[in-house]
Amino acid sequence: MSLFRNTVWFLKGLREYTKGGYEAASKRFVASDLEVNVAGRSFMITGGNSGIGKAVATDIAKKGGTIHLVCRNKDRAEEAKKEIVQESGNENVFVHVLDMSNPKGIWEFADKFKIEHGLNVLINNAGCMVNQREQTEDGLEKNFATNTLGMYILTTALIPVLEEAEDPRVVNVSSGGMLVQKLDVSDLQFEKKNFDGTMAYAQNKRQQIVLTERWAKLYKRIHFSVMHPGWADTPAVRLSMPDFHQKMKNKLRTEAQGADTALWLAVSPAASKQASGLFFQDRTSVATHLPLAWTYSSEGDEEKLIQLLEELAQRFKPQANQVKQVVP
């Protein structure tokens, strides 16, 4: 079954995820969807110093939005800020240094942010694919800590400020690679089975799909969406998947093409008219499972995922985390 999934997925990818796939899909795009002014609206973009995150941030800045770049490396973030301001002419770009694999740090950051800023849109873009099993200082497997638990804590912590905003949205950047994985809650951090970085990443991306669907049911005031950027030529792909990049580099999308749907979901009035909780590819909602691939999960497994994440999140929540929120 794994071979079947992988074969079907790769053939689908060649047809849809490449530059050619984007060019074909873009023929049906409505240009006016992105002809918007978002001045006065606040956007947080994790991993916004390069690749898809930076491309989204730059385009939103051009449309007048206030940008909060959440990045691990201060120097790279400041350089990205400088380039975004220069290209957009928008000075409202702010840098926040945060490691998304540090759960306690995320709680502390979110508490401080809620007091000092408003937020209309959260774009969970930061991610990693570590090919050898690594543990964070907290003893967490690094892919899981960054891609799933970090996103879970940041989103959960910012729900109150988003619920007070006008037209609040959460956009999660996932991957079509999740289509080859069935949710497995028995070993979230690969402590039992042999570690495979690509598989761990795909599991994390499947987990993000489940979280998006669950949040959409829980928080009706916020529009949740999750998207696949396609196969884009980004620094992360070049670093984490060098063989794939070398073989496919002439077929890969540009960063802007990969970022297009995330941008559309973040700013377009047309996007907010779509049902909350859907998975998007090239501005269209698509299935979260391949035909006949047997990747559907049970209600019990999905509830177990939420339970395990909440237990971990609470373990790292600072005890002094009782600062009263002030909505700007």
Side-chain angles (χ1 to χ4, degrees), residues 60-315:
I60 294 175
K62 289 177 180 177
K63 299 179 187 301
T66 296
I67 304 296
H68 294 279
L69 299 175
V70 176
C71 308
R72 183 178 56 184
N73 185 289
K74 187 176 189 303
D75 291 341
R76 288 203 291 266
E78 291 290 351
E79 183 61 29
K81 171 186 172 178
K82 180 180 175 183
E83 292 171 1
I84 292 168
V85 169
Q86 196 170 45
E87 189 170 341
S88 68
N90 185 345
E91 296 283 345
N92 293 316
V93 181
F94 304 94
V95 166
H96 308 271
V97 179
L98 177 67
D99 185 340
M100 287 298 294
S101 71
N102 177 357
K104 184 178 179 183
I106 297 169
W107 278 118
E108 292 171 343
F109 162 75
D111 278 346
K112 186 171 184 288
F113 186 91
K114 286 185 290 188
I115 294 170
E116 298 177 350
H117 306 280
L119 184 64
N120 297 93
V121 181
L122 168 62
I123 303 174
N124 285 308
N125 166 74
C128 71
M129 184 193 293
V130 179
N131 290 311
Q132 301 295 323
R133 192 178 191 280
E134 292 182 21
Q135 287 189 322
T136 67
E137 292 181 1
D138 297 304
L140 300 167
E141 191 276 311
K142 195 164 187 178
N143 292 298
F144 170 78
T146 304
N147 301 330
T148 302
L149 181 61
M151 188 191 86
Y152 176 83
I153 293 175
L154 183 64
T155 306
T156 301
L158 292 175
I159 290 291
V161 71
L162 284 164
E163 287 191 312
E164 295 295 328
E166 179 185 354
D167 186 18
R169 308 184 192 191
V170 174
V171 180
N172 298 321
V173 178
S174 185
S175 167
M178 64 86 197
L179 289 168
V180 302
Q181 288 292 310
K182 178 179 180 179
L183 179 68
D184 180 4
V185 294
S186 68
D187 190 19
L188 293 179
Q189 300 189 59
F190 281 76
E191 296 170 293
K192 303 170 187 174
K193 52 182 173 282
N194 290 334
F195 184 79
D196 181 312
T198 304
M199 185 181 295
Y201 180 82
Q203 269 290 322
N204 298 158
K205 295 303 176 178
R206 172 61 72 185
Q207 292 154 12
Q208 291 177 355
I209 297 287
V210 173
L211 287 174
T212 304
E213 293 170 346
R214 288 288 170 136
W215 282 328
K217 293 176 183 176
L218 283 173
Y219 306 107
K220 302 295 188 181
R221 261 202 41 78
I222 303 170
H223 187 273
F224 288 87
S225 59
V226 58
M227 58 80 66
H228 173 37
W231 294 341
D233 192 350
T234 65
V237 170
R238 293 193 290 273
L239 177 65
S240 300
M241 306 174 69
D243 292 342
F244 174 80
H245 179 266
Q246 183 62 32
K247 291 175 184 175
M248 297 294 296
K249 61 183 179 182
N250 294 327
K251 297 181 183 295
L252 298 180
R253 299 181 176 199
T254 66
E255 292 174 348
Q257 290 171 339
D260 177 83
T261 296
L263 174 68
W264 181 79
L265 289 166
V267 305
S268 172
S272 63
K273 293 175 184 175
Q274 301 287 320
S276 184
L278 297 179
F279 177 50
F280 288 85
Q281 174 185 309
D282 293 331
R283 304 193 195 181
T284 301
S285 62
V286 294
T288 56
H289 299 275
L290 293 171
L292 304 175
W294 300 98
T295 52
Y296 289 90
S297 50
S298 68
E299 185 81 9
D301 277 352
E302 292 182 3
E303 289 177 358
K304 183 67 173 178
L305 172 66
I306 305 299
Q307 176 193 333
L308 292 170
L309 289 174
E310 184 61 20
E311 288 174 359
L312 279 170
Q314 291 301 318
R315 181 195 304 176

Side-chain angles (χ1 to χ4, degrees), residues 27-64:
K27 292 176 183 177
R28 57 172 167 72
F29 290 176
V30 178
S32 60
D33 281 359
L34 293 182
E35 292 172 0
V36 295
N37 185 318
V38 293
R41 287 177 63 76
S42 177
F43 299 78
M44 179 185 293
I45 303 147
T46 64
N49 64 285
S50 69
I52 288 166
K54 184 183 175 188
V56 173
T58 302
D59 280 336
I60 294 175
K62 289 177 180 177
K63 299 179 187 301

